[in-house]
Amino acid sequence: DAGVIQSPRHEVTEMGQEVTLRCKPISGHDYLFWYRQTMMRGLELLIYFNNNVPIDDSGMPEDRFSAKMPNASFSTLKIQPSEPRDSAVYFCASRPGTSGNHNEQFFGPGTRLTVL
Amino acid sequence: DAKTTQPPSMDCAEGRAANLPCNHSTISGNEYVYWYRQIHSQGPQYIIHGLKNNETNEMASLIITEDRKSSTLILPHATLRDTAVYYCIVRVGYNFNKFYFGSGTKLNVKP
């Protein structure tokens, strides 16, 4: 099992540019989560999906952020336009549904985003 | 929402037990306590969780006080690879999926 896969691992962009982060959850997992980690605010949940449907996006900071999950094996987090304050490490995580250890979220390695 | 309080950092000698405390005085009756850790530059990793009873797995033990207002994570024989930030988390309300991570405890395991 390859675990949760995120790409790119590092992204450097300029303010105003569109940024797309990608995530492939563990096969068979029903839930997918996007988190953001900064020194100031720590680890924050942005949005999560169940069976490809967004359930709670209350953590999404503003309209510049959007997330999609077109199928069970792929999700994107898009920032448009990006701003320097969006610089952070973005983690994707997944977990099983009612089967397996539904208490454990499996995290990917993260994408370090730097907006200049 | 129940929040947690942890010391910002702790030291532990390699091979000794590491005892990481956590206060969660506002925890509700049905809220679980979870522990995750984050090794530098990696994603968080699940360790253990519990509700009322003490729990043990291959990684650690979790001791929850009878009034549930605090808990202790125990790494019985700490190694250098256990150096990480340890997060004590309570599940937000009845939502199985929303965690408040807080600032965690940086555990430094020293030779």
Side-chain angles (χ1 to χ4, degrees), chain A residues 31 33 35 37 43 45 48 56 58 91 95 101-105 107-109, chain B residues 34 36 38 41-46 49 87 91 95-99 101-102:
Chain A
Y31 288 83
F33 307 82
Y35 289 85
Q37 186 171 36
L43 196 62
L45 176 64
Y48 74 91
D56 188 329
S58 59
F91 289 102
R95 74 163 178 84
N101 183 357
H102 53 270
N103 294 295
E104 177 179 359
Q105 293 185 19
F107 283 76
Chain B
Y34 292 78
Y36 278 71
Q38 187 173 23
S41 298
Q42 298 182 20
Q45 176 191 22
Y46 166 85
H49 74 279
Y87 295 99
R91 195 176 68 198
N95 190 319
F96 218 39
N97 295 295
K98 298 186 75 170
F99 291 149
F101 271 82

Side-chain angles (χ1 to χ4, degrees), chain A residues 12-30:
Chain A
V12 180
T13 190
E14 293 187 348
M15 182 175 62
Q17 297 297 308
E18 176 181 305
V19 175
T20 299
L21 310 181
R22 297 171 176 80
C23 175
K24 176 179 170 57
I26 294 172
S27 176
H29 282 192
D30 296 332

Side-chain angles (χ1 to χ4, degrees), chain B residues 39-85:
Chain B
I39 297 171
H40 182 61
S41 298
Q42 298 182 20
Q45 176 191 22
Y46 166 85
I47 301 173
I48 199 168
H49 74 279
L51 181 62
K52 295 180 181 179
N53 300 320
N54 298 337
E55 303 287 346
T56 296
N57 63 19
E58 64 278 5
M59 290 184 68
S61 295
L62 175 60
I63 308 298
I64 302 174
T65 58
E66 189 171 349
D67 62 8
R68 303 209 326 120
K69 293 185 176 182
S70 65
S71 60
T72 300
L73 179 75
I74 301 172
L75 308 179
H77 305 286
T79 70
L80 298 179
R81 289 174 296 179
D82 292 322
T83 292
V85 177

Side-chain angles (χ1 to χ4, degrees), chain A residues 44-59:
Chain A
E44 304 173 283
L45 176 64
L46 300 178
I47 185 173
Y48 74 91
F49 296 80
N50 180 25
N51 292 324
N52 313 336
V53 176
I55 302 300
D56 188 329
D57 65 355
S58 59

